[in-house]
Amino acid sequence: MKPLSPLTLSFLLFVFITNLSLAFSNEDVEQVLDINGNPIFPGGQYFILPAIRGPPGGGVRLGRTGNQTCPVTILQDRREVKKGLLVKFVIPGISPGIIFTGTPLEIEYTRKPSCAKSFKWLVFVDNVIQKACVGIGGPENYLGVQTLSGTFKIEKHESGFGYKLAFCVQGSPTCLDIGRFDNDEAGRRLNLTEHESFQVVFVEAESNDAKILKSVV
């Protein structure tokens, strides 16, 4: 196994210290709903969109960043009219299941470039910008870059409207929210953060634009 870089060790230590209190949280659990008030379910296809539409941008998609030869970094599209790529949620080890806030999840795109080794979301540490960013694929897509294993979860956003995503390190109760980082690229990167989380809603693939515009403000 390749030894952890100093940056990765510092990052993991930061995660542990910052999030130790999460293990003792009594946050209420509720079923996760799409923008039409319907429960989201494993295997369904959804767009992840910003809860507030407009200048903050559109949905999430894939793009190349840094020295990547394959578009495996997850970016929020700068164009508010773009819904991004469809995702589906998987509860590890369970086929149907119910998705509640806090349920450990795998997230994966329904489509991917042929050069990506996997549809699944993961986290990789970009040593250049010193950020833990969200992408897809496998270690083969991040040669020389540390990847982190774990699961994702959906929680209610602090504002009370919409949701936020978080990443939980494998084998640990510690988690970090997913926010956005603007590195002057084709879109804003999704990254792990202790600051402002990305406020999102979920739109089922069959929903039309009229419903989206009516339901998301």
Side-chain angles (χ1 to χ4, degrees):
M1 178 182 294
K2 184 173 65 177
L4 296 176
S5 68
L7 174 61
T8 303
L9 288 171
S10 298
F11 167 73
L12 292 175
L13 180 60
F14 162 76
V15 170
F16 178 79
I17 294 173
T18 305
N19 294 279
L20 185 60
S21 60
L22 291 181
F24 306 100
S25 174
N26 293 317
E27 189 173 2
D28 293 335
V29 173
E30 59 184 69
Q31 196 164 5
V32 179
L33 307 177
D34 67 15
I35 60 168
N36 295 314
N38 300 316
I40 68 170
F41 56 92
Q45 298 186 19
Y46 301 91
F47 294 106
I48 298 177
L49 293 173
I52 301 175
R53 301 297 299 277
V60 295
R61 60 176 180 82
L62 295 169
R64 291 185 182 88
T65 58
N67 296 323
Q68 291 175 354
T69 57
C70 183
V72 289
T73 299
I74 296 178
L75 305 169
Q76 182 203 11
D77 203 299
R78 295 185 183 277
R79 299 163 292 181
E80 62 185 88
V81 296
K82 297 295 184 180
K83 297 195 289 288
L85 298 176
L86 289 166
V87 304
K88 63 180 181 179
F89 302 99
V90 177
I91 303 176
I94 301 177
S95 179
I98 299 174
I99 297 178
F100 294 99
T101 52
T103 298
L105 299 169
E106 293 176 349
I107 306 176
E108 55 187 63
Y109 278 122
T110 59
R111 296 164 48 198
K112 72 173 182 65
S114 59
C115 52
K117 298 300 181 182
S118 171
F119 293 85
K120 292 182 181 180
W121 286 26
L122 52 68
V123 169
F124 67 96
V125 180
D126 189 321
N127 294 322
V128 175
I129 62 173
Q130 297 192 352
K131 300 286 183 182
C133 301
V134 186
I136 68 165
E140 302 92 335
N141 292 117
Y142 301 94
L143 296 178
V145 175
Q146 189 71 40
T147 57
L148 303 176
S149 298
T151 56
F152 295 86
K153 65 177 181 176
I154 301 168
E155 298 284 8
K156 288 292 294 184
H157 193 267
E158 296 84 3
S159 66
F161 175 62
Y163 297 93
K164 64 181 180 179
L165 300 171
F167 176 78
C168 304
V169 180
Q170 186 176 31
S172 169
T174 60
C175 306
L176 272 180
D177 289 343
I178 294 177
R180 292 169 293 180
F181 176 71
D182 196 338
N183 196 39
D184 294 325
E185 296 165 320
R188 299 176 184 89
R189 296 197 197 194
L190 268 58
N191 74 296
L192 305 189
T193 181
E194 85 230 50
H195 302 298
E196 185 177 357
S197 58
F198 185 19
Q199 186 178 1
V200 301
V201 291
F202 307 106
V203 178
E204 192 174 9
E206 297 178 355
S207 297
N208 59 41
D209 289 342
K211 289 183 179 178
I212 294 174
L213 293 176
K214 182 178 178 181
S215 303
V216 183
V217 294

